[in-house]
Short mmCIF file of all heavy atoms in Angstrom, two decimals:
data_model
loop_
_atom_site.label_atom_id
_atom_site.label_comp_id
_atom_site.label_asym_id
_atom_site.label_seq_id
_atom_site.Cartn_x
_atom_site.Cartn_y
_atom_site.Cartn_z
N ARG U 55 0.13 -7.91 15.62
CA ARG U 55 0.67 -6.76 14.92
C ARG U 55 1.41 -7.23 13.67
O ARG U 55 1.75 -8.42 13.57
CB ARG U 55 1.63 -5.93 15.79
CG ARG U 55 2.96 -6.67 16.18
CD ARG U 55 4.02 -5.59 16.48
NE ARG U 55 4.62 -5.03 15.30
CZ ARG U 55 5.60 -4.10 15.25
NH1 ARG U 55 6.12 -3.72 16.44
NH2 ARG U 55 6.05 -3.67 14.18
N TRP U 56 1.64 -6.34 12.80
CA TRP U 56 2.41 -6.65 11.56
C TRP U 56 3.87 -6.93 11.87
O TRP U 56 4.47 -6.39 12.82
CB TRP U 56 2.28 -5.45 10.54
CG TRP U 56 2.41 -4.10 11.19
CD1 TRP U 56 1.45 -3.32 11.76
CD2 TRP U 56 3.65 -3.35 11.35
NE1 TRP U 56 1.97 -2.17 12.24
CE2 TRP U 56 3.28 -2.18 12.00
CE3 TRP U 56 4.95 -3.54 10.99
CZ2 TRP U 56 4.22 -1.19 12.27
CZ3 TRP U 56 5.91 -2.58 11.27
CH2 TRP U 56 5.54 -1.40 11.95
N LYS U 57 4.43 -7.79 11.03
CA LYS U 57 5.85 -8.15 11.23
C LYS U 57 6.73 -6.97 10.96
O LYS U 57 6.44 -6.13 10.03
CB LYS U 57 6.21 -9.31 10.29
CG LYS U 57 5.77 -10.69 10.80
CD LYS U 57 6.28 -11.77 9.88
CE LYS U 57 5.87 -13.16 10.41
NZ LYS U 57 6.33 -14.23 9.51
N ARG U 58 7.83 -6.91 11.68
CA ARG U 58 8.73 -5.77 11.56
C ARG U 58 9.39 -5.72 10.19
O ARG U 58 9.68 -6.73 9.52
CB ARG U 58 9.84 -5.84 12.61
CG ARG U 58 10.76 -7.03 12.34
CD ARG U 58 11.66 -7.26 13.54
NE ARG U 58 12.65 -8.33 13.23
CZ ARG U 58 13.26 -9.08 14.12
NH1 ARG U 58 12.95 -8.95 15.35
NH2 ARG U 58 14.15 -9.96 13.74
N PHE U 59 9.66 -4.45 9.73
CA PHE U 59 10.52 -4.24 8.61
C PHE U 59 11.83 -3.57 9.05
O PHE U 59 12.77 -3.51 8.34
CB PHE U 59 9.80 -3.39 7.55
CG PHE U 59 8.96 -4.14 6.57
CD1 PHE U 59 7.71 -4.61 6.92
CD2 PHE U 59 9.48 -4.52 5.36
CE1 PHE U 59 6.89 -5.33 6.04
CE2 PHE U 59 8.70 -5.25 4.42
CZ PHE U 59 7.42 -5.71 4.76
N VAL U 60 11.78 -2.97 10.25
CA VAL U 60 12.98 -2.39 10.81
C VAL U 60 13.16 -3.05 12.22
O VAL U 60 12.38 -2.86 13.08
CB VAL U 60 12.81 -0.86 10.98
CG1 VAL U 60 13.99 -0.28 11.67
CG2 VAL U 60 12.62 -0.25 9.65
N GLU U 61 14.23 -3.84 12.34
CA GLU U 61 14.42 -4.63 13.53
C GLU U 61 14.50 -3.79 14.82
O GLU U 61 13.92 -4.09 15.85
CB GLU U 61 15.73 -5.46 13.42
CG GLU U 61 15.94 -6.37 14.60
CD GLU U 61 17.19 -7.22 14.47
OE1 GLU U 61 17.90 -7.05 13.49
OE2 GLU U 61 17.49 -8.05 15.38
N SER U 62 15.13 -2.65 14.78
CA SER U 62 15.28 -1.82 15.95
C SER U 62 13.94 -1.23 16.40
O SER U 62 13.75 -0.99 17.60
CB SER U 62 16.30 -0.69 15.68
OG SER U 62 15.89 0.10 14.49
N GLU U 63 13.01 -1.05 15.43
CA GLU U 63 11.67 -0.63 15.86
C GLU U 63 10.99 -1.66 16.70
O GLU U 63 10.33 -1.39 17.76
CB GLU U 63 10.83 -0.32 14.55
CG GLU U 63 9.40 0.06 14.83
CD GLU U 63 8.49 -1.13 14.95
OE1 GLU U 63 8.58 -2.07 14.13
OE2 GLU U 63 7.65 -1.21 15.94
N ASP U 64 11.11 -2.93 16.26
CA ASP U 64 10.45 -4.00 16.95
C ASP U 64 11.10 -4.20 18.34
O ASP U 64 10.40 -4.42 19.33
CB ASP U 64 10.64 -5.28 16.17
CG ASP U 64 9.78 -6.45 16.77
OD1 ASP U 64 8.61 -6.35 16.89
OD2 ASP U 64 10.43 -7.49 17.11
N VAL U 65 12.41 -4.01 18.42
CA VAL U 65 13.11 -4.13 19.72
C VAL U 65 12.58 -3.06 20.68
O VAL U 65 12.30 -3.34 21.85
CB VAL U 65 14.65 -4.02 19.53
CG1 VAL U 65 15.34 -3.92 20.89
CG2 VAL U 65 15.16 -5.26 18.77
N ALA U 66 12.47 -1.81 20.19
CA ALA U 66 12.00 -0.74 21.09
C ALA U 66 10.57 -0.99 21.48
O ALA U 66 10.22 -0.74 22.67
CB ALA U 66 12.09 0.57 20.32
N PHE U 67 9.75 -1.49 20.58
CA PHE U 67 8.35 -1.78 20.90
C PHE U 67 8.26 -2.88 22.02
O PHE U 67 7.50 -2.72 22.99
CB PHE U 67 7.62 -2.28 19.66
CG PHE U 67 6.20 -2.78 19.93
CD1 PHE U 67 5.23 -1.90 20.27
CD2 PHE U 67 5.87 -4.13 19.81
CE1 PHE U 67 3.93 -2.38 20.48
CE2 PHE U 67 4.64 -4.60 20.04
CZ PHE U 67 3.66 -3.71 20.38
N MET U 68 9.01 -3.90 21.91
CA MET U 68 8.98 -4.97 22.91
C MET U 68 9.52 -4.49 24.25
O MET U 68 9.14 -5.03 25.28
CB MET U 68 9.73 -6.18 22.38
CG MET U 68 9.11 -6.93 21.20
SD MET U 68 7.32 -7.26 21.46
CE MET U 68 7.42 -8.42 22.79
N LYS U 69 10.44 -3.55 24.31
CA LYS U 69 10.88 -2.93 25.55
C LYS U 69 9.69 -2.30 26.23
O LYS U 69 9.57 -2.37 27.45
CB LYS U 69 12.03 -1.92 25.28
CG LYS U 69 13.36 -2.57 25.03
CD LYS U 69 14.40 -1.46 24.86
CE LYS U 69 15.82 -2.03 24.59
NZ LYS U 69 16.81 -0.94 24.46
N ILE U 70 8.90 -1.54 25.46
CA ILE U 70 7.72 -0.94 26.01
C ILE U 70 6.76 -1.96 26.55
O ILE U 70 6.20 -1.81 27.65
CB ILE U 70 7.02 0.01 24.95
CG1 ILE U 70 7.98 1.15 24.58
CG2 ILE U 70 5.71 0.50 25.40
CD1 ILE U 70 7.52 1.95 23.40
N VAL U 71 6.51 -3.02 25.77
CA VAL U 71 5.68 -4.10 26.26
C VAL U 71 6.14 -4.67 27.55
O VAL U 71 5.39 -4.89 28.47
CB VAL U 71 5.54 -5.21 25.16
CG1 VAL U 71 4.79 -6.43 25.65
CG2 VAL U 71 4.86 -4.69 23.89
N ASP U 72 7.45 -4.95 27.63
CA ASP U 72 8.01 -5.55 28.82
C ASP U 72 7.86 -4.64 30.05
O ASP U 72 7.48 -5.13 31.12
CB ASP U 72 9.51 -5.86 28.59
CG ASP U 72 10.15 -6.56 29.75
OD1 ASP U 72 9.72 -7.65 30.08
OD2 ASP U 72 11.12 -6.02 30.31
N ALA U 73 8.10 -3.36 29.85
CA ALA U 73 7.97 -2.39 30.97
C ALA U 73 6.55 -2.32 31.43
O ALA U 73 6.21 -2.27 32.66
CB ALA U 73 8.48 -1.04 30.57
N PHE U 74 5.63 -2.31 30.51
CA PHE U 74 4.20 -2.23 30.88
C PHE U 74 3.76 -3.51 31.64
O PHE U 74 3.05 -3.41 32.65
CB PHE U 74 3.34 -2.08 29.63
CG PHE U 74 1.88 -2.04 29.88
CD1 PHE U 74 1.24 -0.85 30.24
CD2 PHE U 74 1.08 -3.16 29.73
CE1 PHE U 74 -0.13 -0.76 30.54
CE2 PHE U 74 -0.30 -3.12 29.97
CZ PHE U 74 -0.90 -1.90 30.35
N GLN U 75 4.19 -4.61 31.21
CA GLN U 75 3.86 -5.87 31.88
C GLN U 75 4.37 -5.85 33.31
O GLN U 75 3.68 -6.20 34.29
CB GLN U 75 4.45 -7.11 31.15
CG GLN U 75 3.78 -7.35 29.81
CD GLN U 75 4.34 -8.67 29.19
OE1 GLN U 75 3.60 -9.63 29.06
NE2 GLN U 75 5.62 -8.66 28.82
N LYS U 76 5.63 -5.48 33.52
CA LYS U 76 6.21 -5.48 34.85
C LYS U 76 5.62 -4.44 35.78
O LYS U 76 5.51 -4.67 36.95
CB LYS U 76 7.75 -5.31 34.72
CG LYS U 76 8.49 -6.46 34.12
CD LYS U 76 9.95 -6.19 33.94
CE LYS U 76 10.64 -7.41 33.33
NZ LYS U 76 12.09 -7.11 33.09
N ALA U 77 5.23 -3.32 35.17
CA ALA U 77 4.65 -2.23 36.00
C ALA U 77 3.23 -2.46 36.41
O ALA U 77 2.77 -1.96 37.43
CB ALA U 77 4.80 -0.87 35.25
N THR U 78 2.49 -3.21 35.57
CA THR U 78 1.03 -3.35 35.82
C THR U 78 0.59 -4.72 36.19
O THR U 78 -0.49 -4.94 36.70
CB THR U 78 0.25 -2.95 34.53
OG1 THR U 78 0.62 -3.84 33.48
CG2 THR U 78 0.54 -1.51 34.14
N GLY U 79 1.48 -5.72 35.90
CA GLY U 79 1.03 -7.12 36.14
C GLY U 79 0.25 -7.67 34.98
O GLY U 79 -0.18 -8.88 35.08
N VAL U 80 0.00 -6.93 34.04
CA VAL U 80 -0.79 -7.36 32.80
C VAL U 80 0.12 -8.20 31.90
O VAL U 80 1.25 -7.83 31.68
CB VAL U 80 -1.37 -6.16 32.05
CG1 VAL U 80 -2.06 -6.68 30.81
CG2 VAL U 80 -2.36 -5.41 32.86
N THR U 81 -0.39 -9.34 31.45
CA THR U 81 0.36 -10.14 30.47
C THR U 81 0.00 -9.69 29.05
O THR U 81 -1.19 -9.62 28.75
CB THR U 81 0.06 -11.63 30.62
OG1 THR U 81 0.47 -12.05 31.95
CG2 THR U 81 0.78 -12.44 29.59
N VAL U 82 0.97 -9.36 28.22
CA VAL U 82 0.69 -8.95 26.83
C VAL U 82 1.42 -9.97 25.90
O VAL U 82 2.64 -9.99 25.83
CB VAL U 82 1.23 -7.49 26.56
CG1 VAL U 82 0.90 -7.11 25.08
CG2 VAL U 82 0.66 -6.54 27.56
N ASN U 83 0.60 -10.77 25.22
CA ASN U 83 1.11 -11.74 24.27
C ASN U 83 1.06 -11.13 22.91
O ASN U 83 0.01 -10.87 22.37
CB ASN U 83 0.29 -13.04 24.30
CG ASN U 83 0.32 -13.72 25.67
OD1 ASN U 83 1.39 -13.89 26.24
ND2 ASN U 83 -0.80 -14.08 26.16
N VAL U 84 2.24 -10.93 22.28
CA VAL U 84 2.34 -10.27 21.02
C VAL U 84 2.64 -11.34 19.93
O VAL U 84 3.63 -12.09 19.98
CB VAL U 84 3.45 -9.17 20.96
CG1 VAL U 84 3.51 -8.53 19.54
CG2 VAL U 84 3.22 -8.13 22.09
N SER U 85 1.79 -11.41 18.92
CA SER U 85 2.01 -12.28 17.73
C SER U 85 2.16 -11.38 16.53
O SER U 85 1.60 -10.27 16.45
CB SER U 85 0.92 -13.26 17.54
OG SER U 85 -0.36 -12.56 17.41
N ASN U 86 2.96 -11.84 15.58
CA ASN U 86 3.31 -11.05 14.39
C ASN U 86 2.88 -11.82 13.11
O ASN U 86 3.08 -13.02 13.00
CB ASN U 86 4.79 -10.79 14.32
CG ASN U 86 5.29 -10.08 15.57
OD1 ASN U 86 5.26 -8.86 15.66
ND2 ASN U 86 5.71 -10.82 16.54
N GLU U 87 2.29 -11.06 12.18
CA GLU U 87 1.94 -11.60 10.88
C GLU U 87 2.32 -10.64 9.77
O GLU U 87 2.50 -9.39 10.02
CB GLU U 87 0.38 -11.90 10.83
CG GLU U 87 -0.07 -12.96 11.78
CD GLU U 87 0.35 -14.34 11.36
OE1 GLU U 87 0.88 -14.52 10.22
OE2 GLU U 87 0.14 -15.29 12.13
N SER U 88 2.40 -11.16 8.58
CA SER U 88 2.72 -10.34 7.41
C SER U 88 1.55 -9.33 7.15
O SER U 88 0.42 -9.58 7.69
CB SER U 88 2.93 -11.17 6.15
OG SER U 88 1.72 -11.79 5.77
N TYR U 89 1.86 -8.26 6.45
CA TYR U 89 0.78 -7.33 6.07
C TYR U 89 -0.45 -8.05 5.55
O TYR U 89 -1.59 -7.71 5.94
CB TYR U 89 1.28 -6.37 5.02
CG TYR U 89 2.18 -5.25 5.48
CD1 TYR U 89 2.80 -4.40 4.56
CD2 TYR U 89 2.44 -5.01 6.82
CE1 TYR U 89 3.62 -3.41 4.89
CE2 TYR U 89 3.29 -3.98 7.22
CZ TYR U 89 3.90 -3.20 6.27
OH TYR U 89 4.69 -2.12 6.66
N ASP U 90 -0.23 -8.96 4.65
CA ASP U 90 -1.41 -9.57 3.95
C ASP U 90 -2.24 -10.51 4.86
O ASP U 90 -3.39 -10.81 4.54
CB ASP U 90 -0.87 -10.36 2.76
CG ASP U 90 -0.27 -9.52 1.66
OD1 ASP U 90 -0.65 -8.34 1.65
OD2 ASP U 90 0.53 -10.03 0.89
N ASP U 91 -1.61 -10.94 5.95
CA ASP U 91 -2.34 -11.89 6.83
C ASP U 91 -3.03 -11.21 8.05
O ASP U 91 -3.79 -11.85 8.77
CB ASP U 91 -1.35 -12.93 7.37
CG ASP U 91 -0.92 -13.89 6.27
OD1 ASP U 91 -1.69 -14.09 5.29
OD2 ASP U 91 0.21 -14.45 6.33
N ILE U 92 -2.73 -9.92 8.26
CA ILE U 92 -3.33 -9.25 9.40
C ILE U 92 -4.86 -9.18 9.27
O ILE U 92 -5.63 -9.52 10.20
CB ILE U 92 -2.76 -7.81 9.52
CG1 ILE U 92 -1.33 -7.92 10.00
CG2 ILE U 92 -3.63 -6.99 10.52
CD1 ILE U 92 -1.16 -8.31 11.46
N GLN U 93 -5.36 -8.70 8.15
CA GLN U 93 -6.82 -8.48 8.03
C GLN U 93 -7.59 -9.78 8.05
O GLN U 93 -8.63 -9.81 8.78
CB GLN U 93 -7.08 -7.73 6.65
CG GLN U 93 -8.53 -7.45 6.44
CD GLN U 93 -9.23 -8.48 5.55
OE1 GLN U 93 -8.61 -8.85 4.53
NE2 GLN U 93 -10.38 -8.94 5.92
N PRO U 94 -7.20 -10.84 7.42
CA PRO U 94 -7.96 -12.09 7.54
C PRO U 94 -8.03 -12.61 8.98
O PRO U 94 -9.08 -13.04 9.44
CB PRO U 94 -7.22 -13.09 6.66
CG PRO U 94 -6.51 -12.27 5.63
CD PRO U 94 -6.12 -11.02 6.41
N LYS U 95 -6.93 -12.55 9.72
CA LYS U 95 -6.92 -13.02 11.12
C LYS U 95 -7.73 -12.11 11.99
O LYS U 95 -8.40 -12.58 12.93
CB LYS U 95 -5.47 -13.18 11.60
CG LYS U 95 -4.71 -14.36 10.92
CD LYS U 95 -3.34 -14.50 11.52
CE LYS U 95 -2.62 -15.67 10.90
NZ LYS U 95 -3.19 -16.97 11.19
N ALA U 96 -7.64 -10.82 11.78
CA ALA U 96 -8.48 -9.90 12.53
C ALA U 96 -10.00 -10.12 12.25
O ALA U 96 -10.84 -10.04 13.20
CB ALA U 96 -8.10 -8.46 12.19
N SER U 97 -10.30 -10.39 11.01
CA SER U 97 -11.73 -10.65 10.62
C SER U 97 -12.24 -11.91 11.31
O SER U 97 -13.40 -11.96 11.75
CB SER U 97 -11.88 -10.73 9.14
OG SER U 97 -11.50 -9.50 8.51
N VAL U 98 -11.43 -12.95 11.39
CA VAL U 98 -11.85 -14.15 12.07
C VAL U 98 -12.12 -13.89 13.53
O VAL U 98 -13.14 -14.34 14.05
CB VAL U 98 -10.72 -15.26 11.92
CG1 VAL U 98 -11.06 -16.44 12.82
CG2 VAL U 98 -10.62 -15.75 10.49
N ALA U 99 -11.28 -13.15 14.21
CA ALA U 99 -11.49 -12.80 15.61
C ALA U 99 -12.77 -12.01 15.74
O ALA U 99 -13.59 -12.24 16.65
CB ALA U 99 -10.26 -12.05 16.10
N ALA U 100 -12.96 -11.01 14.84
CA ALA U 100 -14.17 -10.17 14.91
C ALA U 100 -15.46 -10.98 14.74
O ALA U 100 -16.47 -10.79 15.44
CB ALA U 100 -14.12 -9.07 13.84
N ASN U 101 -15.41 -11.96 13.90
CA ASN U 101 -16.58 -12.78 13.54
C ASN U 101 -16.86 -13.84 14.65
O ASN U 101 -18.03 -14.16 14.92
CB ASN U 101 -16.43 -13.55 12.22
CG ASN U 101 -16.49 -12.54 11.04
OD1 ASN U 101 -17.12 -11.51 11.11
ND2 ASN U 101 -15.81 -12.87 9.95
N THR U 102 -15.83 -14.31 15.30
CA THR U 102 -16.02 -15.36 16.31
C THR U 102 -16.08 -14.76 17.71
O THR U 102 -16.52 -15.47 18.65
CB THR U 102 -14.85 -16.38 16.24
OG1 THR U 102 -13.59 -15.73 16.50
CG2 THR U 102 -14.79 -17.07 14.86
N GLY U 103 -15.55 -13.55 17.88
CA GLY U 103 -15.59 -12.98 19.19
C GLY U 103 -14.57 -13.57 20.16
O GLY U 103 -14.73 -13.54 21.39
N GLN U 104 -13.49 -14.09 19.60
CA GLN U 104 -12.45 -14.69 20.46
C GLN U 104 -11.10 -14.73 19.77
O GLN U 104 -11.01 -14.53 18.58
CB GLN U 104 -12.84 -16.10 20.85
CG GLN U 104 -13.09 -17.06 19.70
CD GLN U 104 -13.58 -18.42 20.13
OE1 GLN U 104 -13.79 -18.65 21.29
NE2 GLN U 104 -13.85 -19.27 19.17
#
Side-chain angles (χ1 to χ4, degrees):
R55 68 155 284 181
W56 41 275
K57 281 185 177 178
R58 68 190 186 205
F59 273 82
V60 175
E61 182 178 3
S62 56
E63 176 275 314
D64 187 60
V65 170
F67 173 70
M68 292 308 297
K69 284 183 179 179
I70 293 172
V71 172
D72 184 60
F74 180 81
Q75 291 184 113
K76 290 176 178 176
T78 63
V80 175
T81 298
V82 183
N83 299 311
V84 181
S85 57
N86 303 273
E87 294 289 350
S88 68
Y89 282 174
D90 294 336
D91 291 333
I92 289 287
Q93 182 262 316
K95 289 185 179 293
S97 295
V98 169
N101 291 332
T102 62
Q104 58 185 1

